[in-house]
Amino acid sequence: MSHRVAFIACCERGRLEQETLLLVRSLRRFGGALASAPIFTFQPRPGTVIAPATERALRALDVVHLSVVLNDQHAGYPLANKPAVCAFAEQHVDADTLVFVDSDKVFFGEPRALLDGGVAVRPVDHRTAGTTGSDENAAWWRDTWQRFGAAPRGTVQATVSGETVQAYWNSGLVAWPREAGMARQWQRCLATLMDENRMPENRFFGEQICLALALDLLGIAPRGLPPAYNYPIHHHHALAARDGAPRKLEDTVSIHYHKLFARPSAEHPLDALRDFDTGTPAGRWLREELARTGLYAPSWLARLKARLRA
């Protein structure tokens, strides 16, 4: 049976287990017409098998979990998991549109824009490893484009810093037509950079850079998703004053929280979003789920401080 869209995520032993369960529960609850879409999770590196309880929970959510070695040559670089599982899905998942989703993401609305055709992404939050064309990263990008016989396709504005950079996209949420072969090109680009020792100085961004290189090589100018998608809630303090900035979780389609919930403190991480209304139904649901999954667990000192303040 061919599906219109299928979601893909990585789930390995450790924190990714709790993050993935939160991700899937949010999509099943708030995904609207896509709430019942097929979801595939992958454990692509040896030695990272998830707990039986996690696998049972995923199965109860109608998720297909696959433990198949896809990232063995570059297993020391976990981010190589992304293009590896996407390339595998291009060959084996029967769907018109594939959507890769970082596990540290929560959906709060129907992501219908993912189905509007073509490759769909959000720009990066900051320039970081990208280039304006005349900065400290420019020479590396020029050499890399030359190595691949590619050229940049336009510019984008970084969503948080506002910098204008050569087309460079956030790889935390990527939708693409399976027939485009984008993921296989993404995987080849990363393998080339790693095997030829051409990775950027900040290796963390290597796979994200390779997404941009793959699109350049294929001559694809991706479609930018609206700001409510992949919203960087950990940068909300920098975005709050802008026109149209969300004021509550229901104003977003999906949030990308990174390490926001990993910092035990005397207050709940959501309470730190001072100008964000987290007392809404979606906010209450998120608090309950964070407690349920164990993603946010205050330290004993934080709990003591909270009791004293009460």
Side-chain angles (χ1 to χ4, degrees):
M1 177 183 177
S2 178
H3 298 280
R4 189 179 180 195
V5 61
F7 290 85
I8 303 157
C10 293
C11 185
E12 296 183 324
R13 184 176 59 233
R15 187 174 179 84
L16 279 183
E17 294 179 74
Q18 287 72 46
E19 291 182 346
T20 304
L21 287 173
L22 177 62
L23 164 69
V24 174
R25 286 173 181 146
S26 73
L27 185 59
R28 293 296 190 228
R29 181 181 179 94
F30 298 105
L34 297 183
S36 60
I39 301 175
F40 296 84
T41 59
F42 291 87
Q43 177 244 309
R45 294 186 298 166
T48 59
V49 177
I50 64 175
T54 305
E55 191 163 4
R56 288 194 297 271
L58 289 171
R59 193 179 307 119
L61 291 162
D62 199 23
V63 173
V64 177
H65 180 71
L66 299 172
S67 178
V68 52
V69 176
L70 301 171
N71 178 20
D72 52 347
Q73 293 184 337
H74 305 116
Y77 183 58
L79 291 169
N81 288 349
K82 289 191 191 184
V85 303
C86 290
F88 182 88
E90 275 187 350
Q91 295 179 291
H92 299 285
V93 174
D94 190 11
D96 299 327
T97 297
L98 298 173
V99 181
F100 177 82
V101 189
D102 272 356
S103 297
D104 57 339
K105 191 180 303 297
V106 186
F107 283 88
F108 289 106
E110 180 182 288
R112 63 181 69 89
L114 298 175
L115 301 179
D116 289 344
V119 177
V121 284
R122 288 287 295 155
V124 290
D125 298 333
H126 297 88
R127 173 177 63 92
T128 319
T131 182
T132 62
S134 60
D135 54 26
E136 71 277 10
N137 299 330
W140 183 90
W141 278 88
R142 283 196 299 268
D143 291 344
T144 304
W145 278 316
Q146 184 176 14
R147 163 64 183 85
F148 286 99
R153 296 182 61 85
T155 59
V156 297
Q157 186 177 45
T159 62
V160 177
S161 68
E163 298 164 283
T164 299
V165 298
Q166 302 285 359
Y168 179 35
W169 311 96
N170 191 296
S171 63
L173 177 63
V174 186
W176 76 101
R178 186 165 70 101
E179 63 183 14
M182 183 210 71
R184 279 166 285 180
Q185 185 66 68
W186 185 9
Q187 185 181 37
R188 285 192 290 267
C189 286
L190 182 59
T192 299
L193 286 189
M194 298 197 73
D195 294 344
E196 296 182 2
N197 197 27
R198 290 177 176 267
M199 288 285 277
E201 183 176 350
N202 190 335
R203 288 167 55 91
F204 180 84
F205 296 100
E207 58 80 21
Q208 187 163 265
I209 287 170
C210 286
L211 174 62
L213 289 173
L215 295 171
D216 292 340
L217 280 167
L218 294 171
I220 295 174
R223 175 171 53 85
L225 289 165
Y229 287 71
N230 205 41
Y231 181 74
I233 197 167
H234 58 303
H235 289 310
H236 180 69
H237 62 283
L239 298 171
R242 299 184 186 178
D243 291 341
R247 300 301 176 191
K248 56 185 183 298
L249 294 173
E250 285 88 344
D251 293 336
T252 70
V253 173
S254 66
I255 63 169
H256 202 170
Y257 57 84
H258 293 268
K259 302 298 183 183
L260 180 66
F261 305 140
R263 303 187 182 99
S265 63
E267 60 185 8
H268 195 284
L270 291 181
D271 294 334
L273 301 172
R274 303 295 184 189
D275 49 2
F276 208 82
D277 183 2
T278 59
T280 64
R284 291 193 293 272
W285 176 88
L286 180 57
R287 287 174 185 271
E288 292 171 1
E289 286 298 321
L290 288 173
R292 177 183 180 185
T293 60
L295 265 176
Y296 173 70
S299 66
W300 68 268
L301 180 59
R303 292 196 299 271
L304 176 59
K305 288 180 178 179
R307 284 199 296 271
L308 291 174
R309 288 195 311 171

